[in-house]
Amino acid sequence: MSQDQRLQHQRFELKYVIGEQKARRIRDYISSFLVVDENCVGKPDLSYAVHSLYLDSDHLQTYRDTVNGNKNRFKLRIRYYTDDPNTPVFLEIKRRLNNCIRKQRAAVRREAVPGILAGQLPSAKALISPSPQHLPALQDFCRLLQTMGAKPKVHGAYLREAYLPLTENSARVTMDRVVRSEFKPKLELSTHMRNPIMVWGQTVVLELKFVDRYPNWFGDLVRTFNLRQCGAAKYADGVSLLHGCRPQ
C-alpha cells in the first residue's frame, strides 16, 4: 500500500482552531518541510472547495455519538468538489477508533447515487476506480446506510489549503477556512448554499495528520506557535449550531 493510500486509509489527526494571522505565519513555517498540494496550485488563497452531504439517521445517531464523546464512532458522507455532472463523487465512511482515524472511500458515478440511497444494490459499474479497495468500501457504505436508515441531513462546505511531503504522504497539514453548514434533508449534490451558517466564524481549522510516527517538527510547530489542541467536528458542531438557529 502506498503512503498516500495509507494516509487515506488510517491516520492520526490533531486539530487546532487559530486566527488568520497565525495561519499565515504557519504557512511560511511549514514551507520548509512540505509542498503545497497540487489541487491548491493557482487557486485563490491556495485553497480548493470541499463539499460534503452528511447522512444520518432520523434520530441523528452519528451526531449524538460525537457529542457524547463515544470513543468508537463513524459518520457517513458524500463528498464532491464541483457541480460538473461528469465528475465522480465519493461515498465515505470516516471511523474514529480511540485516537485513530480510519477512512474508506469509494469513487462512484453521480447517476448511481440516487439508487444507492434508495437501497438498490450497486454493481461494480457504479464505480469510477478499478482500485480493489473501492468495492468493499462501497459495500460497507451501503450496509451502514441501510442499517441506520441514514438519509441526507446537512450540507457542509469549506475552503481547504493543504500541504504534503514532496516524495511521499506519511504526513499532511491542512487549513480549512469559511466552514459552513446548512440543513439539506434531500439528495442534492450542488455547491450552491442557500442559507448557511458559519461554524467557526473567520477562524481557521488547522489539522496535523500523520500515519505512524508523530513528526518531530510537528512538535516544534506546536510549541513555536503555542497551539492548543481542541475538538473541531464540522458535522456535529454544524448541527448543534443549526438546531440553535432553527425557529421555535
Side-chain angles (χ1 to χ4, degrees):
M1 182 181 292
S2 70
Q3 289 285 1
D4 181 70
Q5 290 172 324
R6 290 179 65 205
L7 189 65
Q8 180 76 358
H9 180 66
Q10 179 172 305
R11 66 190 183 214
F12 297 90
E13 294 181 354
L14 306 176
K15 297 183 179 182
Y16 310 85
V17 177
I18 60 176
E20 182 61 41
Q21 184 177 11
K22 183 174 288 189
R24 292 182 181 274
R25 290 165 53 210
I26 288 174
R27 174 192 289 170
D28 294 337
Y29 185 95
I30 64 178
S31 65
S32 299
F33 304 94
L34 305 175
V35 297
V36 65
D37 188 306
E38 62 180 12
N39 294 303
C40 300
V41 175
K43 303 286 179 61
D45 292 325
L46 296 176
S47 300
Y48 60 91
V50 180
H51 292 265
S52 297
L53 180 62
Y54 291 95
L55 311 173
D56 208 339
S57 69
D58 287 339
H59 298 291
L60 299 181
Q61 175 187 326
T62 66
Y63 162 75
R64 297 183 189 282
D65 284 345
T66 300
V67 297
N68 290 335
N70 293 353
K71 294 294 185 181
N72 298 327
R73 59 183 187 265
F74 68 91
K75 57 175 170 279
L76 300 178
R77 66 191 180 202
I78 304 173
R79 177 153 288 182
Y80 57 100
Y81 302 93
T82 75
D83 290 321
D84 184 347
N86 297 314
T87 58
V89 299
F90 301 88
L91 307 184
E92 297 185 347
I93 309 167
K94 187 174 182 180
R95 289 186 171 92
R96 175 177 288 275
L97 306 173
N98 292 315
N99 293 321
C100 183
I101 301 298
R102 296 175 60 90
K103 188 161 76 170
Q104 291 176 278
R105 192 184 212 209
V108 303
R109 304 181 193 281
R110 286 186 181 231
E111 60 266 27
V113 176
I116 291 171
L117 295 196
Q120 297 176 13
L121 184 64
S123 70
K125 293 180 180 179
L127 292 168
I128 297 288
S129 173
S131 298
Q133 71 267 25
H134 282 249
L135 183 56
L138 176 59
Q139 293 169 336
D140 285 348
F141 182 94
C142 293
R143 176 180 56 81
L144 291 172
L145 182 81
Q146 297 304 314
T147 300
M148 291 174 55
K151 303 171 186 174
K153 298 297 180 186
V154 165
H155 176 191
Y158 51 89
L159 297 175
R160 167 157 287 182
E161 179 180 354
Y163 297 86
L164 67 165
L166 182 61
T167 57
E168 42 83 31
N169 198 16
S170 60
R172 185 174 173 87
V173 174
T174 61
M175 290 189 280
D176 296 338
R177 295 175 172 85
V178 199
V179 180
R180 294 150 287 154
S181 289
E182 69 175 1
F183 283 121
K184 183 74 67 172
K186 62 180 180 179
L187 176 58
E188 184 180 342
L189 301 178
S190 170
T191 60
H192 175 68
M193 302 186 85
R194 295 177 179 85
N195 189 30
I197 61 165
M198 297 285 288
V199 180
W200 295 295
Q202 297 301 319
T203 57
V204 180
V205 179
L206 169 70
E207 295 187 37
L208 307 182
K209 309 174 185 183
F210 59 99
V211 174
D212 295 317
R213 185 181 62 83
Y214 180 74
N216 290 334
W217 72 268
F218 273 12
D220 294 338
L221 183 152
V222 168
R223 288 186 291 272
T224 298
F225 292 96
N226 192 29
L227 300 178
R228 301 296 178 90
Q229 187 180 346
C230 64
K234 295 182 178 75
Y235 171 60
D237 288 2
V239 170
S240 294
L241 287 171
L242 287 166
H243 280 297
C245 296
R246 174 181 281 173
Q248 300 298 317

